C-alpha cells in the first residue's frame, strides 16, 4: 500500500478520463509494488533455499546478479523488463506455488528475464541455461526453439547474440542488437527464432509466445493461442488499425491512452462464437481477447478491459473496499449488466468499466458529421448510453450505501457519480436530434 494520491488525481481516475497525472500515479505505484513483490520472492527463496532444487537455485541467483549488473548500466531497461505484463503473471505464480518442481520451473524463468534485460542493455553475456523442453523464452522479445531437452548456450557479444544447444544439434538463432540510446533494439533470424510482433502504429505488441501470457487453470471459456501458428497476425493488425482509427476519430485522448497503457494484446482462441475480453490483476497493461468482430467490437473491448486493469491497479495501491468480518457473509448485489449476484468488488469493477463505456458512447453520440465516426455508431452509441446510464446510477447507489467501501473508495464512487451526472447533463443539452445522430 502507498499513500493515497492527491484528491484531484483520484477524481481524474474516478472519471475514467485519460490524464497524465492519473497515468503517472498508476505507473509509478505499479512499479513500486512490482519491486516489493520481487523482493518478497527473493526473501522467500533465501529463507527456504533448502526446499529449492540446486539447479533452480543457481539459476535464480545468477539471474539476480545479472539483473543487478544490468541495472547499473541500463536502469530503464530493467524497469521495462520488470514492468512487462507477463512478469507480473510470473511473479504471482512463483509467490503462490508451493515448494517443488513447479516452483523450481518458475524460478528458472527469472534468469531468462534477466538475460532479456541484459541483451537490450547491450551487455556481454555468455552463459548456459537449462531448456527442459528445448524452448528458451525471452520475455518481451520472443523465444528460441533450440530442439530437444538439454542445455542451451547464450553468447552475446557487442552486436550479435547466438543462441543454440550446447552440443550443436537442433536449431540456432542469431539476434542482432541495434543501438538506440541506452536501449538496444533486438531483431533475430534463423529457424529457431520467433520474435514478438508489434501491432501497427505504436509500441503495443501481440503477445502470443510468452509462457506466462495466460496462467494455466485460469477458468475462462477460451484458451490462449496454442502457438504462433494459431495467430492471424495480419487479421489482428488490420483490426487494431481500424479500431485505433475509429477511437482517434471519437476521442483522441482515449486513443492515446490505449496506445500508452495497453502494452500487449494476448490473443485467445475462442471455443465458441462469443467474443471474449479479459484482464489479469497481476498483469496490468495486458488485455486478453478473442479476435474482434469489427472495429467497434475491439474499441469497446479495449476501453472496457483497460478500465478493469486500471481499477485493479488502483485498488492494490489505495484499497477502495474491505472484506467483511470473518463471521459475516459477504453481501451480494444485483446489477443490470449481470444475471448473477455480485460482491461489492464486482459491483465497483463493473460500474467503473461501464462508466468508461458511457463516456465513450457519449463522445461517439455527439461526434459531428464528417468526423470519421460512422453514423450507425453515433446512433447506436446514443442508445447504449441511455441503456447503461440507469444501470450505473443504480450500481453507484449500492456502492455508496455499502459499509464495505473504504473512505477512499467512497470518495472514488462519489467522483464517479459526479462524472456520470456531467455526461447526463451534456446529453440532455444536445437535444434528441443531435443525440441520436440523425
Amino acid at each position: 500500500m502507498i499513500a493515497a494520491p492527491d484528491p484531484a488525481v483520484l477524481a481524474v481516475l474516478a472519471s475514467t478520463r485519460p490524464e497524465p497525472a492519473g497515468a503517472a500515479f498508476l505507473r509509478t505505484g505499479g512499479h513500486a509494488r512490482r519491486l516489493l513483490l520481487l523482493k518478497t520472492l527473493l526473501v522467500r527463496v533465501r529463507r527456504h533455499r533448502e526446499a529449492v532444487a540446486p539447479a533452480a537455485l543457481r539459476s535464480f541467483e545468477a539471474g539476480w546478479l545479472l539483473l543487478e549488473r544490468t541495472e547499473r548500466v541500463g536502469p530503464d531497461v530493467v524497469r521495462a523488463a520488470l514492468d512487462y505484463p507477463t512478469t507480473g503473471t510470473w511473479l504471482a505464480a512463483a509467490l503462490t506455488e508451493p515448494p517443488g518442481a513447479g516452483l523450481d520451473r518458475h524460478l528458472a524463468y527469472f534468469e531468462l528475464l534477466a538475460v532479456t534485460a541484459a541483451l537490450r542493455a547491450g551487455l556481454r553475456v555468455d552463459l548456459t541455461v537449462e531448456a527442459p523442453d528445448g524452448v528458451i523464452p525471452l520475455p518481451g522479445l520472443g523465444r528460441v526453439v533450440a530442439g530437444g531437452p538439454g542445455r542451451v548456450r547464450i553468447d552475446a557479444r557487442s552486436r550479435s547474440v547466438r543462441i543454440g544447444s550446447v552440443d550443436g544439434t537442433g536449431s540456432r538463432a542469431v539476434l542482432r542488437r541495434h543501438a538506440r540510446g541506452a536501449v538496444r533494439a533486438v531483431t533475430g533470424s534463423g529457424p529457431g527464432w520467433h520474435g514478438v510482433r508489434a501491432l501497427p502504429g505504436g509500441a503495443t505488441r501481440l503477445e502470443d509466445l510468452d509462457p506466462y501470457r495466460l496462467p494455466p487453470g485460469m477458468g475462462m471459456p477460451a484458451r490462449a493461442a496454442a502457438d504462433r501458428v494459431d495467430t492471424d497476425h495480419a487479421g489482428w493488425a488490420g483490426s487494431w488499425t481500424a479500431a485505433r482509427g475509429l477511437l482517434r476519430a471519437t476521442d483522441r485522448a482515449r486513443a492515446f491512452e490505449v496506445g500508452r497503457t495497453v502494452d500487449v494484446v494476448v490473443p485467445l482462441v475462442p471455443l465458441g462464437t462469443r467474443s471474449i475480453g479479459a484482464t489479469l490483476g497481476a498483469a496490468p497493461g495486458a488485455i486478453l481477447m478473442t479476435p474482434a468482430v469489427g472495429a467497434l467490437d475491439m474499441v469497446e473491448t479495449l476501453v472496457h478491459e483497460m478500465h478493469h486493469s486500471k481499477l485493479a491497479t488502483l485498488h492494490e495501491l489505495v484499497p477502495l473496499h474491505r472484506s467483511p468480518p470473518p463471521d459475516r457473509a459477504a453481501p451480494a448485489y444485483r446489477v443490470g449488466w449481470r444475471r448473477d449476484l455480485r460482491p461489492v468488488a464486482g459491483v465497483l469493477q463493473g460500474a467503473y468499466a461501464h462508466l468508461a463505456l458511457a463516456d465513450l458512447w457519449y463522445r461517439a453520440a455527439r461526434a459531428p458529421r464528417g468526423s470519421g465516426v460512422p453514423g450507425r455508431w453515433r446512433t447506436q452509441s446514443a442508445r447504449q448510453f441511455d441503456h447503461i446510464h440507469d444501470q450505473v446510477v443504480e450500481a453507484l447507489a449500492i456502492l455508496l450505501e455499502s459499509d464495505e467501501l473504504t473512505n477512499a473508495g467512497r470518495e472514488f464512487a462519489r467522483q464517479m457519480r459526479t462524472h456520470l451526472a456531467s455526461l447526463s447533463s451534456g446529453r440532455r443539452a444536445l437535444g434528441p436530434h443531435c443525440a441520436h445522430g440523425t
Side-chain angles (χ1 to χ4, degrees):
M1 186 190 310
I2 65 171
D6 181 276
V9 173
L10 193 67
V12 164
L13 288 170
S15 76
T16 77
R17 291 302 301 157
E19 292 287 347
F25 176 79
L26 295 180
R27 284 277 187 184
T28 301
H31 179 68
R33 188 169 187 276
R34 186 68 55 87
L35 293 177
L36 178 61
L37 292 176
L38 186 59
K39 182 64 178 295
T40 301
L41 180 61
L42 175 65
V43 170
R44 181 191 180 195
V45 170
R46 286 179 173 174
R47 284 180 177 174
H48 305 286
R49 56 190 305 120
E50 70 284 348
V52 179
L57 183 61
R58 286 194 299 270
S59 175
F60 181 80
E61 292 179 337
W64 195 278
L65 291 174
L66 180 57
L67 201 66
E68 287 182 333
R69 183 160 67 94
T70 304
E71 189 171 34
R72 287 194 287 270
V73 299
D76 291 343
V77 174
V78 171
R79 177 167 184 154
L82 294 181
D83 288 351
Y84 194 64
T86 59
T87 302
T89 312
W90 162 74
L91 257 176
L95 286 168
T96 55
E97 185 76 23
L103 178 59
D104 294 341
R105 285 193 298 272
H106 293 321
L107 295 181
Y109 177 87
F110 179 66
E111 185 175 19
L112 300 174
L113 177 69
V115 166
T116 302
L119 296 182
R120 297 186 69 219
L123 265 65
R124 174 77 169 89
V125 177
D126 188 357
L127 53 82
T128 301
V129 298
E130 295 289 342
D133 55 1
V135 177
I136 299 295
L138 298 174
L141 289 181
R143 71 182 177 198
V144 177
V145 181
R151 294 173 65 79
V152 173
R153 184 185 179 193
I154 302 173
D155 183 12
R157 301 181 185 274
S158 59
R159 291 188 179 180
S160 66
V161 183
R162 298 182 181 276
I163 304 175
S165 58
V166 171
D167 61 11
T169 63
S171 301
R172 297 184 67 84
V174 178
L175 280 60
R176 300 292 181 185
R177 300 196 279 198
H178 313 276
R180 290 182 183 173
V183 180
R184 269 64 170 179
V186 181
T187 59
S189 61
W193 173 246
H194 303 273
V196 176
R197 297 173 294 194
L199 289 168
T204 304
R205 285 162 278 193
L206 191 68
E207 179 56 88
D208 55 1
L209 294 174
D210 195 285
Y212 289 95
R213 64 193 184 275
L214 180 65
M218 185 176 174
M220 290 178 57
R223 59 183 174 87
D227 204 354
R228 167 61 59 87
V229 296
D230 295 325
T231 307
D232 176 11
H233 182 261
W236 279 97
S239 296
W240 178 261
T241 299
R244 290 290 303 279
L246 178 60
L247 194 52
R248 277 194 300 271
T250 306
D251 186 347
R252 294 188 68 85
R254 185 73 76 199
F256 181 77
E257 180 187 37
V258 167
R260 288 289 302 272
T261 303
V262 181
D263 298 317
V264 302
V265 172
V266 177
L268 299 175
V269 178
L271 298 180
T273 58
R274 188 165 61 94
S275 181
I276 294 172
T279 55
L280 300 171
I287 292 183
L288 294 68
M289 52 189 304
T290 54
V293 184
L296 301 184
D297 182 41
M298 179 171 271
V299 164
E300 292 176 357
T301 299
L302 288 170
V303 171
H304 183 96
E305 297 300 336
M306 181 175 66
H307 283 82
H308 280 314
S309 187
K310 285 168 62 175
L311 188 63
T313 300
L314 178 63
H315 177 64
E316 293 288 355
L317 303 175
V318 183
L320 302 174
H321 52 82
R322 61 179 72 87
S323 300
D327 59 345
R328 173 184 161 192
Y333 307 94
R334 190 168 300 283
V335 292
W337 50 83
R338 292 284 295 251
R339 294 182 179 179
D340 55 334
L341 296 176
R342 306 297 291 157
V344 73
V347 176
L348 180 57
Q349 274 284 356
Y352 190 63
H354 284 93
L355 176 60
L357 285 176
D359 184 275
L360 173 70
W361 291 329
Y362 166 81
R363 292 167 204 285
R366 68 198 297 267
R369 295 179 186 275
S371 63
V373 177
R376 178 175 62 88
W377 196 40
R378 294 202 308 271
T379 302
Q380 178 181 319
S381 294
R383 292 171 181 164
Q384 288 174 305
F385 179 91
D386 292 339
H387 175 70
I388 203 64
H389 173 272
D390 291 346
Q391 294 182 356
V392 177
V393 167
E394 291 172 0
L396 289 172
I398 291 171
L399 292 169
L400 289 169
E401 291 172 4
S402 170
D403 61 359
E404 294 177 76
L405 293 188
T406 63
N407 290 337
R410 191 169 301 281
E411 179 58 26
F412 191 79
R414 289 195 190 100
Q415 294 293 346
M416 288 173 62
R417 184 176 60 184
T418 298
H419 185 61
L420 182 61
S422 72
L423 298 180
S424 304
S425 299
R427 283 274 289 115
R428 286 194 296 270
L430 288 174
H433 179 76
C434 294
H436 292 286
T438 58

